Amino acid sequence: MHDQRKVRHKINEATRERDLAEVQAFISLYDSLLRQRDRRIYSEAVLQQLSELLCKNPEAYSMYSYRRNVLLHLWREMWEQEEEDVKTNESAKEIARVEGDDATVSASLPSSRTKEERRRTAVQRKMECLKEELKLNSKILLRDYKVYAAFLHRRWIFAQLKQFAKDALLAAIAADAAGVPGQGPSVRVECPEEVRFWSSILIKEKEQCDALLAVDERNFHAWNYRRWALSEIVHMDKLLAPCSVAAASSNNSAEEEVPKARQLQEQQPQSRGDEGVVEPRGLFFTPDELKELNFTTKMVQRNFSNYSAWHQRGLIIKTALQRLQQKPGDDVTRDATLREAWEQLKEDLALVTTAIYCDPSDQSAWYYAQFLRRAAETLEHILPAPYAACGDFIMRPIQSCIELLTEEKRLGDEAEMYWPRYYLFTILLASCVSENSDDDMRNRTTAAMTALVRDIRRALCPHDSLSDTSDIEEDRGWCLRKLAAELVRVDPMRAGMYQSLLATSTS
């Protein structure tokens, strides 16, 4: 867990010897598996050894790849064995026919199966293997839910399940299209078992990620995996469209067999509405994006220092902005959508400003403030609106920096806040570069810095008496030098970077 101090425990000699023996056993098993991998040994015994090793140490990354190779090899052998059995059976029957002893051979040999039956048997056996693989992976993640390789291996498992589901559904659709001779296709596509299992377990993945984030809202492994699960749910909805269309024309709804992701999501409470916060409107965001935005709001309000939640929120807004850019200019809803977009950015600006004041030393809010400034710039390029206060996205963070530094100086703290200084430093550098630029937003940034540069200087050195006739360029240069010196003191490991940037601005 984040922000929890580790407690050192005293270990007695007996425990120490036991732990040492376990380490030696693990090293021996690991070395043995490496040798077997080099010799390309793929067997059931190796699979068992890999299970034992990964349960002991989930971070043995290379062993996940070895395990996937073993599974693929065993599946290939299984199919080849099926083919060999069929050939043997057919050869025996041919010999029996030549010898005229059909009855005896037919009684002693199993009946030959069709290719489709063999395929179904192979798929079912693979499905059972994947179910066991999911159980093992869950056991590993319960031990340590911050292992990249375990989450990646879980994605691979779902990729196999998805392929089986897709193949089964396409086969069902093809069979339905052929229909009964003389009757044509049926009114309903039966949902195969592979599809039902894949869709139901995929929904559970998203729910389990939500449960994990309820325990540890800053776990970026869970956020990344959850984002992947959401994208897979979207693909699932598209894949299951034939079942949905068929269900609309049937009294026995196929939705009883395949729980659609959207229906389950709509049953979830609206977190922002429950807390009395005004929810976003419905033109700028899709319904799924609204639900996800509500979820990120809930996570951010629980802990402002949640970079993953801010990142997910930014992705949602970025996607909505890209969709808005593609709208034709004569769209009747375009103006209303633009208005809602500006309102959403303003709400986020208020939220991120609160986060900045609550914890000025946390990087998450500062990065999101920069994203909002770029988002406002993008939105204004789409269509400048008279009701938009784009300057707020430039001025508000700068004013927050000034107020925070002023308060720090008043309290007598010694340059403890890094991010307000770094934010002002980068904005001042940008204002030097963007002078006489054709970019309207950059010119606004320069104008804002020019208007506030004396306030910045007073915040950095409140005891200096400034003349009203002092030169703006001189004040800006002084602020850059002062900020660079304080950043070097706070962050000496990057001293060369700050000095180089300062030299660039003054050259």
Side-chain angles (χ1 to χ4, degrees):
M1 298 290 289
H2 294 283
D3 304 325
Q4 291 187 2
R5 180 175 295 177
K6 294 183 178 180
V7 180
R8 184 182 295 275
H9 299 282
K10 292 184 178 180
I11 302 176
N12 56 38
E13 190 62 28
T15 304
R16 182 182 181 85
E17 290 180 359
R18 185 193 63 198
D19 292 346
L20 184 60
E22 290 180 359
V23 170
Q24 293 296 334
F26 173 81
I27 293 174
S28 176
L29 178 58
Y30 190 84
D31 291 342
S32 172
L33 285 169
L34 286 178
R35 290 191 295 270
Q36 293 182 81
R37 186 187 66 176
D38 292 340
R39 297 198 301 270
R40 297 186 178 182
I41 297 177
Y42 307 120
S43 63
E44 291 282 355
V46 169
L47 208 60
Q48 293 298 325
Q49 292 174 2
L50 286 168
S51 300
E52 179 185 350
L53 182 135
L54 290 173
C55 286
K56 289 181 177 179
N57 182 10
E59 295 186 0
Y61 297 140
S62 60
M63 293 297 109
Y64 289 95
S65 177
Y66 186 23
R67 186 174 183 85
R68 289 191 287 271
N69 288 335
V70 172
L71 286 170
L72 292 174
H73 181 82
L74 291 176
W75 292 344
R76 186 164 55 251
E77 280 190 341
M78 179 175 61
W79 178 253
E80 291 173 354
Q81 184 62 43
E82 285 279 345
E83 293 289 334
E84 186 65 28
D85 291 344
V86 170
K87 290 180 181 179
T88 303
N89 195 8
E90 293 297 331
S91 298
K93 285 189 174 184
E94 183 64 25
I95 294 172
R97 279 194 294 270
V98 171
E99 295 178 352
D101 195 11
D102 291 356
T104 303
V105 174
S106 297
S108 60
L109 292 176
S111 59
S112 61
R113 295 180 297 168
T114 65
K115 183 177 181 180
E116 177 60 23
E117 289 174 338
R118 296 198 307 274
R119 188 196 69 81
R120 291 289 305 167
T121 301
V123 168
Q124 288 173 0
R125 292 175 66 179
K126 290 178 183 178
M127 289 282 290
E128 291 301 320
C129 289
L130 289 172
K131 290 177 182 179
E132 293 300 318
E133 200 67 15
L134 270 178
K135 292 178 182 178
L136 174 65
N137 189 263
S138 298
K139 182 179 179 181
I140 291 171
L141 287 174
L142 284 173
R143 175 172 177 173
D144 186 351
Y145 54 81
K146 295 184 179 181
V147 180
Y148 266 128
F151 279 108
L152 289 175
H153 186 67
R154 198 171 184 87
R155 290 193 192 188
W156 178 83
I157 297 171
F158 272 90
Q160 309 307 308
L161 292 172
K162 180 180 179 180
Q163 189 60 50
F164 292 153
K166 186 182 295 185
D167 293 344
L169 187 60
L170 291 177
I173 293 173
D176 179 75
V180 180
Q183 296 182 12
S186 65
V187 296
R188 182 184 181 197
V189 177
E190 292 292 339
C191 200
E193 178 186 354
E194 295 90 342
V195 177
R196 292 197 299 270
F197 176 75
W198 170 63
S199 60
S200 62
I201 201 72
L202 188 58
I203 297 298
K204 290 180 182 177
E205 289 296 288
K206 189 259 182 187
E207 295 172 351
Q208 289 173 350
C209 286
D210 291 348
L212 178 54
L213 290 174
V215 177
D216 182 10
E217 67 273 2
R218 294 175 58 187
N219 187 339
F220 60 87
H221 305 275
W223 278 101
N224 290 338
Y225 186 74
R226 183 178 180 277
R227 191 178 303 115
W228 168 83
L230 288 172
S231 66
E232 288 296 297
I233 288 173
V234 173
H235 295 158
M236 182 187 74
D237 282 345
K238 294 178 180 178
L239 185 63
L240 298 184
C243 293
S244 302
V245 172
S249 60
S250 174
N251 293 329
N252 298 323
S253 174
E255 291 175 359
E256 296 176 1
E257 299 178 353
V258 182
K260 294 298 295 297
R262 205 168 310 285
Q263 293 173 339
L264 292 183
Q265 289 175 350
E266 288 174 357
Q267 295 173 4
Q268 298 176 357
Q270 300 294 321
S271 59
R272 292 183 70 181
D274 295 342
E275 297 175 8
V277 182
V278 178
E279 294 190 16
R281 278 63 55 190
L283 292 175
F284 184 51
F285 297 109
T286 65
D288 286 341
E289 288 171 348
L290 282 176
K291 294 182 179 68
E292 193 63 14
L293 200 70
N294 293 337
F295 181 79
T296 60
T297 302
K298 181 180 177 181
M299 293 292 105
V300 166
Q301 289 176 344
R302 283 182 55 182
N303 189 342
F304 283 128
S305 181
N306 190 338
Y307 185 89
S308 297
W310 289 111
H311 177 64
Q312 179 73 355
R313 193 176 186 86
L315 289 176
I316 298 168
I317 294 177
K318 182 180 178 181
T319 302
L321 284 173
Q322 290 173 345
R323 187 169 56 249
L324 182 57
Q325 286 177 305
Q326 297 171 359
K327 272 194 173 185
D330 57 350
D331 193 309
V332 293
T333 63
R334 183 180 176 86
D335 187 67
T337 305
L338 283 167
R339 190 182 299 274
E340 291 182 10
W342 280 114
E343 289 300 322
Q344 182 59 50
L345 291 186
K346 288 179 181 178
E347 287 182 21
D348 276 40
L349 180 61
L351 183 63
V352 79
T353 302
T354 303
I356 286 173
Y357 281 113
C358 286
D359 188 2
S361 299
D362 181 64
Q363 64 178 349
S364 307
W366 293 103
Y367 280 123
Y368 195 72
Q370 296 179 47
F371 162 77
L372 283 179
R373 182 163 54 86
R374 292 191 297 270
E377 180 180 358
T378 300
L379 195 55
E380 189 161 69
H381 283 168
I382 296 174
L383 182 64
Y387 46 78
C390 192
D392 287 348
F393 297 90
I394 303 171
M395 299 291 288
R396 188 81 66 83
I398 298 174
Q399 291 170 344
S400 299
C401 292
I402 293 172
E403 292 177 9
L404 288 168
L405 293 178
T406 301
E407 184 67 11
E408 181 189 70
K409 295 293 183 180
R410 188 185 69 81
L411 295 174
D413 295 333
E414 187 62 30
E416 292 183 353
M417 290 188 291
Y418 169 81
W419 282 101
R421 287 175 168 80
Y422 183 72
Y423 189 87
L424 289 176
F425 186 65
T426 55
I427 292 293
L428 282 168
L429 287 174
S431 69
C432 294
V433 175
S434 61
E435 282 190 339
N436 302 320
S437 171
D438 294 333
D439 192 311
D440 182 60
M441 180 62 71
R442 289 186 176 181
N443 290 335
R444 288 192 197 184
T445 303
T446 302
M449 293 307 301
T450 301
L452 295 175
V453 68
R454 288 181 181 174
D455 293 334
I456 296 173
R457 183 167 182 173
R458 290 191 184 95
L460 292 171
C461 195
H463 302 298
D464 280 4
S465 57
L466 299 178
S467 172
D468 293 337
T469 59
S470 60
D471 183 69
I472 295 296
E473 289 300 320
E474 178 186 345
D475 289 339
R476 181 164 57 183
W478 184 93
C479 290
L480 280 169
R481 291 190 296 273
K482 180 67 173 177
L483 286 169
E486 292 187 354
L487 286 170
V488 168
R489 184 168 64 253
V490 175
D491 185 20
M493 297 297 292
R494 296 184 179 88
M497 181 185 75
Y498 302 127
Q499 292 166 357
S500 176
L501 290 172
L502 179 62
T504 302
S505 67
T506 56
S507 60

